[in-house]
């Protein structure tokens, strides 16, 4: 799941991401081949790492977990995005039909109906009209 949250992959990140799995297998292999430290587990890694069932289960479980995480993330981004998700989409250029003024009003909490674009625009227009009327009224009263 950490691979989904990473915005850019570089050599250092890839080294530690994949290196952690290789390190785990190496530690298990070394520790299970030391009979003086772990006599009960002597030779277990040779049997486990040589088993097709171990590798198939490891790949299958990782694939299922990754698929579920991908589905949950896409559902959240599609129907329940938060302010950060919206900002990331705009920054990456995924959302080309974006009214920055309306988005700013939504993020600042000035428009309550952020889910419906038409209602949000009408609320924004209504707020602008009320502000203009208030400005005209205060200018007329001061004269």
């Amino acid at each position: 799941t950490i691979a989904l949250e990473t915005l850019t992959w570089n050599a250092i990140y890839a080294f530690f991401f994949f290196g952690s799995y290789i390190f785990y297998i190496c530690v298990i292999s070394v520790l299970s081949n030391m009979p003086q430290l772990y006599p009960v587990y002597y030779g277990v890694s040779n049997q486990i790492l040589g088993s097709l069932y171990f590798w198939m289960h490891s790949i299958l479980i990782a694939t299922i977990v990754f698929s579920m995480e991908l589905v949950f993330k896409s559902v959240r981004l599609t129907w329940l995005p938060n302010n950060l998700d919206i900002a990331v989409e705009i920054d990456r250029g995924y959302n080309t039909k974006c009214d920055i003024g309306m988005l700013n009003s939504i993020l600042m909490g000035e428009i309550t109906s952020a889910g419906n674009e038409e209602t949000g625009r009408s609320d924004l227009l209504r707020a602008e009209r009320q502000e203009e009327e208030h400005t005209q009224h205060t200018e007329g009263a001061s004269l």
Side-chain angles (χ1 to χ4, degrees), residues 70-117:
L70 192 62
V71 167
F72 290 145
K73 184 173 183 173
S74 64
V75 166
R76 182 181 59 84
L77 288 175
T78 303
W79 287 295
L80 301 167
N82 58 23
N83 294 342
L84 179 63
D85 297 330
I86 295 169
V88 168
E89 283 189 9
I90 292 169
D91 184 55
R92 291 183 180 176
Y94 297 152
N95 191 349
T96 57
K97 298 178 181 178
C98 179
D99 183 4
I100 297 298
M102 185 183 78
L103 179 65
N104 190 24
S105 299
I106 291 170
L107 294 178
M108 294 304 191
E110 295 171 4
I111 298 175
T112 57
S113 57
N116 188 346
E117 186 176 331

Side-chain angles (χ1 to χ4, degrees), residues 9 13 18 22-23 33-34 57 59-62 67 70 78 84 92-93 96 107 119 127 130 140-141:
W9 281 70
Y13 180 79
F18 295 111
I22 295 170
F23 181 73
N33 287 319
M34 300 178 106
H57 283 104
I59 293 170
L60 182 66
I61 289 170
S67 300
L70 192 62
T78 303
L84 179 63
R92 291 183 180 176
T96 57
L107 294 178
T119 307
Q130 288 175 351

Side-chain angles (χ1 to χ4, degrees), residues 27-48:
V27 166
I28 287 179
S29 297
V30 168
L31 290 180
S32 73
N33 287 319
M34 300 178 106
Q36 64 274 19
L37 292 177
Y38 301 103
V40 177
Y41 297 112
Y42 180 71
V44 171
S45 70
N46 297 336
Q47 292 177 359
I48 290 176

Side-chain angles (χ1 to χ4, degrees), residues 1-38:
T1 61
I2 218 167
L4 285 176
E5 301 299 325
T6 302
L7 300 178
T8 58
W9 281 70
N10 57 26
I12 296 170
Y13 180 79
F15 172 76
F16 283 104
F17 184 78
F18 295 111
S20 65
Y21 294 112
I22 295 170
F23 181 73
Y24 172 71
I25 291 172
C26 290
V27 166
I28 287 179
S29 297
V30 168
L31 290 180
S32 73
N33 287 319
M34 300 178 106
Q36 64 274 19
L37 292 177
Y38 301 103

